[in-house]
Amino acid sequence: MTTTDPLMAAGMDGADSPHYLRALTDMADERTVVAGAAIYTDNGIKLVEKGARIDSRLYDRLVQHKLREPIDSHLSVENPVNVEALVATGQDLAGQDVLCSLLGEAIGSAAQLLSPLRAVALPMPVACKLTVMREKRPALYLHSVRMMMVSVFLGLKTAERDLGALAAAALLHDLGVLHMDPAWNDPEFKVVGVQRKHLVAHPITSMLMVRDSKAYPQAVADAVLEHHERMDGTGYPRGLAGAGISSMGRILMLAEVVAAFFEKYEDMPAQRLSLVLRLNHRKFPPALVVHILPLLQEEVARESALMPLGNDAPRQAGLLADAFMKWDELKSTLPPAALKTMPSASAFAFTDARLMALQKALVEAGSHPRHQADLMAQLQGDAVGLAEVALVGREAIFQLQSVLNACHRRWPDLAQRATPGDAAVSDWCDWAVGRL
């Protein structure tokens, strides 16, 4: 596998970002961090003496220069994250966290999910990153441990050969997020421009950190790079599909989604996740999904007593119907000859395929907007059924948003309307921006 291509395409240079330097130096105000060797700029200027204490007063000096090597390759940290700390965090999650409790009960004990951590190497640069994560990005740290537990569960269910490597890949998959603006995780924060590039490229950044540590097999770096790919080729950063994704990468792909749903949604996460996995069955590996869906059923039954969501269903159906109708209207304005000669890699072909696939999935789920009137009439008084329809609608609207985001990311010059197809996609995106 060539790992330099996506790096070149993303324009990443591997330098410590201002966000990571800020988090690290702020952490160093609270615990002792010492330079084990002198720290130099890439042109040979010594910035920090060997043995010097690191703290936030150094931030302004550090951020003005590109360092010869990553800063944490030379640091020692007081009370760093180690295997014992990770096991303790996992035990806490198993006792308090709904998802981790489900996993532990299903596999026999939480100890089985945490045992592979004993085989995970944590050289000081990696331990330093995890310590910054634990102290300054605690939600990301908990996500990483939770993700590791889901991954090991799937590894045990599918007889993955190297559970230690799998645990390492899952634990370290989001190291690259440390280099992003923490504001990206705020639901009110709109990720645009350079920040969107960094969001899409964070698997590459994570992979580089894992690879450069020289502490893990190549399979770990590969899986980290692949954790946002999708089986149908709609993921990132390389748009891999099917057999192009490693077995460990497939596990991380699904584990990321499972963990994220229980973290993101306070109301009905199991039901939401169950619906998403069924509605997006082409995106995720069926051989792994089959081990997750049964876990969710008992939790779905408990969740069904929660707040009814069915009131949202009519509005969502109207929005979806309008989105599909708008696309059909724009598509009908194109000459038949233009449709026949449309390049398969064009924005038009991509948008048309994605919207058609979404409509097909909604038909298969019995929730296409054109069926909604009859469906809603049948479900009157059925709070659970109405909630499921509303959740399908939410997921479908999210997928519309993902089509919009992908068009903006992959074809940034759409607004120039260079072809009739580009003009149609640009008009649909303008409509979607105003409605979604």
Side-chain angles (χ1 to χ4, degrees):
M1 183 192 73
T2 302
T3 55
T4 53
D5 289 345
L7 174 63
M8 297 287 286
M12 306 298 290
D13 61 10
D16 290 319
S17 75
H19 303 299
Y20 180 62
L21 291 173
R22 170 60 73 190
L24 188 152
T25 54
D26 284 353
M27 180 191 74
D29 286 342
E30 302 162 4
R31 66 184 59 244
T32 302
V33 179
V34 176
I39 298 174
Y40 291 88
T41 68
D42 63 348
N43 57 3
I45 299 172
K46 184 188 293 185
L47 290 180
V48 180
E49 294 282 355
K50 178 181 178 180
R53 171 83 183 264
I54 305 296
D55 58 35
S56 60
R57 292 173 296 180
L58 281 173
Y59 172 76
D60 289 336
R61 190 191 314 173
L62 292 169
V63 81
Q64 291 174 18
H65 302 276
K66 181 177 179 181
L67 304 183
R68 178 182 292 172
E69 298 173 290
I71 188 170
D72 48 28
S73 61
H74 300 297
L75 302 180
S76 63
V77 181
E78 176 190 9
N79 188 27
V81 167
N82 55 22
V83 168
E84 288 71 25
L86 290 167
V87 169
T89 299
Q91 289 170 338
D92 289 344
L93 285 173
Q96 304 170 16
D97 183 81
V98 171
L99 173 60
C100 294
S101 297
L102 287 172
L103 296 170
E105 291 171 7
I107 208 70
S109 72
Q112 291 186 64
L113 302 177
L114 300 173
S115 179
L117 282 172
R118 304 292 179 186
V120 175
L122 292 176
M124 183 49 73
V126 173
C128 181
K129 292 177 177 69
L130 289 174
T131 307
V132 172
M133 190 185 289
R134 180 184 67 186
E135 302 302 318
K136 293 299 172 182
R137 304 289 293 277
L140 184 62
Y141 176 71
L142 290 176
H143 167 73
S144 299
V145 178
R146 188 180 287 109
M147 163 90 160
M148 182 275 301
M149 295 175 76
V150 181
S151 298
V152 171
F153 170 83
L154 289 170
L156 288 167
K157 286 291 189 180
T158 56
E160 181 69 26
R161 287 178 296 177
D162 193 342
L163 291 177
L166 176 62
L171 185 66
L172 306 179
H173 77 286
D174 264 352
L175 289 182
V177 175
L178 290 171
H179 288 261
M180 294 172 55
D181 187 339
W184 79 272
N185 204 33
D186 182 346
E188 303 300 318
F189 181 72
K190 298 294 184 183
V191 182
V192 296
V194 173
Q195 277 299 320
R196 178 161 291 282
K197 182 186 80 169
H198 283 289
L199 177 62
V200 172
H202 82 266
I204 301 170
T205 311
S206 302
M207 177 274 294
L208 289 173
M209 293 179 182
V210 169
R211 187 191 67 185
D212 292 348
S213 73
K214 298 180 174 60
Y216 309 100
Q218 181 61 38
V220 172
D222 291 347
V224 167
L225 184 61
E226 295 166 348
H227 77 270
H228 277 297
E229 300 290 356
R230 294 291 181 262
M231 297 299 289
D232 62 356
T234 60
Y236 62 86
R238 295 186 297 163
L240 300 179
I245 305 169
S246 68
S247 62
M248 204 178 292
R250 295 182 191 196
I251 289 176
L252 262 61
M253 170 206 310
L254 180 58
E256 169 78 16
V257 173
V258 172
F261 264 75
F262 278 85
E263 292 161 358
K264 182 176 181 180
Y265 297 109
E266 293 183 3
D267 61 315
M268 309 177 76
Q271 190 164 22
R272 291 173 187 271
L273 176 59
S274 177
L275 285 165
V276 165
L277 293 178
R278 286 183 281 136
L279 191 60
N280 296 275
H281 57 276
R282 294 179 180 84
K283 293 181 181 292
F284 303 106
L288 298 176
V289 172
V290 72
H291 298 295
I292 294 296
L293 288 177
L295 283 182
L296 305 177
Q297 296 314 304
E298 183 178 347
E299 192 62 21
V300 165
R302 285 196 290 261
E303 289 174 347
S304 296
L306 298 179
M307 53 186 287
L309 303 175
N311 291 339
D312 287 342
R315 180 191 62 81
Q316 294 164 345
L319 181 55
L320 289 166
D322 289 347
F324 298 141
M325 189 181 304
K326 182 66 177 179
W327 179 246
D328 288 342
E329 172 191 314
L330 292 167
K331 187 176 173 180
S332 69
T333 64
L334 299 182
L339 291 173
K340 290 180 180 179
T341 58
M342 198 72 68
S344 60
S346 67
F348 180 91
F350 168 83
T351 305
D352 193 46
R354 289 288 296 273
L355 293 179
M356 288 179 65
L358 177 55
Q359 292 197 67
K360 181 178 180 182
L362 288 170
V363 169
E364 292 173 353
S367 292
H368 194 281
R370 64 173 172 262
H371 303 148
Q372 287 288 67
D374 291 341
L375 183 61
M376 296 298 289
Q378 296 172 19
L379 291 175
Q380 288 305 312
D382 182 353
V384 174
L386 289 171
E388 179 154 331
V389 171
L391 289 171
V392 171
R394 286 188 184 183
E395 170 60 17
I397 290 169
F398 173 80
Q399 290 196 38
L400 288 181
Q401 183 70 60
S402 74
V403 173
L404 172 65
N405 291 340
C407 286
H408 284 159
R409 182 179 75 244
R410 296 173 62 175
W411 295 279
D413 298 327
L414 271 177
Q416 296 181 11
R417 308 166 68 86
T419 68
D422 283 358
V425 176
S426 182
D427 286 344
W428 187 85
C429 287
D430 289 346
W431 175 91
V433 166
R435 292 291 304 275
L436 298 180

